[in-house]
Amino acid sequence: MNTDTHYDFIIIGTGAGGGTLAWKLAPSGKRILIIERGTYVPREKDNWNSRAVNAEGKYNTKESWRDVDGKPMHPHTNYYVGGNTKFYGAALFRLREEDFGEIRHHGGVSPAWPISYDDLEPYYAQAEQLYHVHGVAGEDPTEPWRSSPYPYQPVSHERRIQLLSEDFAAEGLHPFHTPLGVMLDESDPRRSPCIRCNTCDGFPCLINAKADAQVCAVDPALECPNVTLMTEAKVTRLETSASGREVTGVLVERRGTTERYSAEIVIVAGGAINSAALLLRSANDRHPQGLANGSGVVGRHYMGHTNSVLMALSKCENPTIFQKTLSLNDYYLASDAWEFPMGHISFVGKLDGDTLRGGAPAIAPGWTLELMGKHSIDFWLTSEDLPDPNNRVTLDREGNIVLAYTPNNEAGHKRLIKKLEHLLSAQRKCPHHGHECHQGVFARNLYLGQRIPLAGVAHQNGTIRFGADPQTSALDVNCQAHEVDNLYVVDGSFFPSSAAVNPGLTIMANALRVGQHLLQRVGASVPERELAGV
């Protein structure tokens, strides 16, 4: 065994799962190799350039996947240290307690998880500390119990959003502050790392004030001398022993050559699509359907939510800069409005003309893209899609990723859109003065909606599900492969259902949970660390 290429842990991927796990394991003193196929996001003015980021897709991978018909597809995903958290909107929700149980939807049944909310709650609390989550307990009627308050005060609403919140409340709803992972101190703006700019959601943060996996987890992990980060290194295959019971080699393409590394324990965290592809690509005589895939579920049950952006165009301008502070969950579960769940309502970052050029809905007569950007309020609607074994990741003969997905459980999402349109048409307060506006702020509204296409894979999960039964799952409750003793998966792949809020915080919390298990497995003792705040 070459001690120069052998480690205690190899972690493949640096996003919400891999980056967080690296942070958890780093103080153990164990030799850890983190492998990232990308580089650090270059710090440059284009980080905050809407045209470069959105219209031109400067930071998106140039990799091409295929759809089920074999047509090329350019995924809206990013390969950098920190993974997709570098570009996320930092909305960090806990799943609801109900999400861990079986839920009946109009389109079918969302299956139960093999763990409960109570099992994950302590790690949610740790993840909220690590990722600087701002929020306030008690506003959201669907929120689960908490062992501790949010670590930071909620991000305040700007005037237009505050008025909208008040109007929603007047309709009998329960608007709440979106839990956000940003390094913001509104009590001391001069010293606050975050400046509440309009280039947060979908952009890398030029001043490292967004709580992403690189800033909060990977970079702190690298302060430990036992941790090594290898960038621009793509893992192409995992080799196993003759018995197939352990991973013995991690093959990496770097600088035009193939290198081989090994570890006592290998953790895959490349994102639900790429992680599934890696296991499928690692098929051998002992694992003919793909590594750890005796159940046949690897690559199957792909979920990414049913997501839409709804632009509400008003005759009044919307001067909001940092828009993503308000959410509604009144229709998240079955309610008086409908006997089935509909989903979650929140916001995207403020849209502008350059962003709209990257994929605008049909333009209403008399509206330019710039005018739309100035007069829109921009909502993000999320509904749960259900695990379907035919929605899956496979490989073609050349080894390219093929993503097959047919939307399901759409009735609730359509109702959610109509419900939001109805709520907006009932708004009364003038955004300029706050008084009653008899004509209605949204009296002449135009609602322009756009479904997020297949290439939008930000919420990917479900392709290597965990469970108690090896016949129906690839991983056990600790996210260890049933069939491979030293293989774990800690990205969104392990989800057996997708729920209807952003998966980021659940991936982070689970990585901390699995990290605790791994420390116990190797007999390492790590003291609890104080997490620095702003």
Side-chain angles (χ1 to χ4, degrees), residues 137-155:
E139 291 182 322
D140 176 1
T142 70
E143 72 179 356
W145 69 269
R146 308 174 57 88
S147 59
S148 55
Y150 280 99
Y152 300 97
Q153 292 296 308
V155 179

Side-chain angles (χ1 to χ4, degrees), residues 210-503:
K210 179 158 60 176
D212 62 50
Q214 176 229 309
V215 173
C216 294
V218 176
D219 287 353
L222 292 174
E223 294 176 8
C224 297
N226 53 299
V227 180
T228 301
L229 172 65
M230 180 188 297
T231 59
E232 296 183 273
K234 180 181 178 181
V235 176
T236 57
R237 184 177 176 84
L238 302 178
E239 297 177 332
T240 69
S241 60
S243 69
R245 290 297 310 181
E246 63 176 343
V247 175
T248 55
V250 177
L251 301 187
V252 176
E253 284 184 2
R254 187 164 72 122
R255 299 169 184 164
T257 62
T258 298
E259 301 171 356
R260 186 180 184 278
Y261 299 87
S262 60
E264 297 300 310
I265 296 174
V266 174
I267 305 103
V268 176
I273 294 170
N274 276 294
S275 289
L278 175 61
L279 297 192
L280 293 173
R281 206 173 276 129
S282 300
N284 59 30
D285 289 344
R286 289 288 182 177
H287 300 274
Q289 297 185 87
L291 192 57
N293 193 27
S295 62
V297 303
V298 172
R300 294 187 182 271
H301 308 106
Y302 169 76
M303 295 168 285
H305 289 149
T306 302
N307 295 310
S308 293
V309 173
L310 186 75
M311 294 179 61
L313 297 180
S314 167
K315 64 180 183 297
C316 299
E317 286 192 10
N318 176 16
T320 306
I321 297 171
F322 193 96
Q323 181 171 255
K324 196 171 181 171
T325 59
L326 178 68
S327 292
L328 279 177
N329 271 343
D330 291 81
Y331 310 110
Y332 190 91
L333 301 167
S335 64
D336 292 341
W338 200 38
E339 61 181 311
F340 301 105
M342 293 188 216
H344 166 77
I345 297 172
S346 58
F347 286 83
V348 290
K350 188 72 195 76
L351 300 179
D352 60 21
D354 285 326
T355 302
L356 293 173
R357 283 185 183 87
I363 300 177
W367 291 85
T368 64
L369 292 176
E370 285 73 17
L371 199 61
M372 288 167 64
K374 288 180 179 179
H375 287 255
S376 69
I377 295 184
D378 316 292
F379 294 89
W380 177 268
L381 289 79
T382 300
S383 299
E384 181 167 359
D385 55 346
L386 302 176
D388 179 345
N390 295 314
N391 287 340
R392 62 186 301 199
V393 178
T394 56
L395 303 174
D396 66 14
R397 292 179 179 177
E398 287 75 42
N400 297 305
I401 289 174
V402 178
L403 185 59
Y405 183 79
T406 300
N408 61 43
N409 197 33
E410 294 185 282
H413 193 69
K414 293 173 182 175
R415 282 178 177 260
L416 189 65
I417 292 171
K418 293 298 181 185
K419 180 62 69 174
L420 178 57
E421 290 178 354
H422 172 74
L423 289 171
L424 292 177
S425 67
Q427 300 308 297
R428 303 292 295 168
K429 286 182 178 174
C430 172
H432 298 306
H433 306 101
H435 55 61
E436 295 297 305
C437 180
H438 296 293
Q439 191 177 18
V441 176
F442 295 94
R444 297 180 184 173
N445 241 22
L446 296 165
Y447 302 106
L448 303 177
Q450 184 184 36
R451 282 283 289 273
I452 304 303
L454 180 62
V457 294
H459 292 191
Q460 56 184 277
N461 64 82
T463 58
I464 314 174
R465 52 168 39 184
F466 77 157
D469 184 357
Q471 299 300 313
T472 58
S473 60
L475 309 173
D476 69 10
V477 294
N478 292 315
C479 293
Q480 177 184 359
H482 289 299
E483 301 169 6
V484 186
D485 295 334
N486 66 337
L487 176 65
Y488 290 76
V489 181
V490 297
D491 51 31
S493 302
F494 80 97
F495 281 42
S497 66
S498 69
V501 288
N502 307 49

Side-chain angles (χ1 to χ4, degrees), residues 28-187:
S28 68
K30 299 294 183 179
R31 291 190 73 215
I32 301 169
L33 175 64
I34 312 169
I35 304 177
E36 169 56 51
R37 67 186 294 176
T39 62
Y40 277 84
V41 176
R43 296 187 70 193
E44 56 192 7
K45 289 180 71 174
D46 273 354
N47 289 173
W48 282 353
N49 185 310
S50 181
R51 178 170 298 178
V53 172
N54 294 306
E56 299 170 4
K58 178 173 182 175
Y59 300 104
N60 285 355
T61 177
K62 303 305 183 283
E63 185 178 41
S64 181
W65 298 350
R66 302 288 185 271
D67 65 16
V68 70
D69 297 318
K71 296 177 182 175
M73 179 179 72
H74 298 284
H76 300 165
T77 195
N78 311 278
Y79 299 143
Y80 292 100
V81 178
N84 282 319
T85 68
K86 292 301 297 180
F87 296 82
Y88 73 168
L92 294 173
F93 290 90
R94 299 181 179 204
L95 297 192
R96 317 291 94 176
E97 281 186 82
E98 292 87 348
D99 287 324
F100 290 84
E102 185 176 285
I103 298 179
R104 194 168 60 94
H105 288 260
H106 181 273
V109 173
S110 176
W113 288 40
I115 61 173
S116 70
Y117 172 78
D118 292 1
D119 295 323
L120 204 54
E121 197 284 333
Y123 303 102
Y124 272 133
Q126 292 176 25
E128 287 172 344
Q129 285 277 352
L130 180 59
Y131 284 94
H132 298 257
V133 180
H134 296 245
V136 56
E139 291 182 322
D140 176 1
T142 70
E143 72 179 356
W145 69 269
R146 308 174 57 88
S147 59
S148 55
Y150 280 99
Y152 300 97
Q153 292 296 308
V155 179
S156 65
H157 300 316
E158 292 174 46
R159 181 171 176 78
R160 185 69 179 274
I161 305 304
Q162 178 61 39
L163 293 174
L164 192 58
S165 176
E166 293 170 5
D167 280 331
F168 283 154
E171 292 290 317
L173 301 176
H174 303 82
F176 64 96
H177 290 80
T178 302
L180 292 170
V182 288
M183 298 176 197
L184 175 68
D185 185 355
E186 294 191 78
S187 69

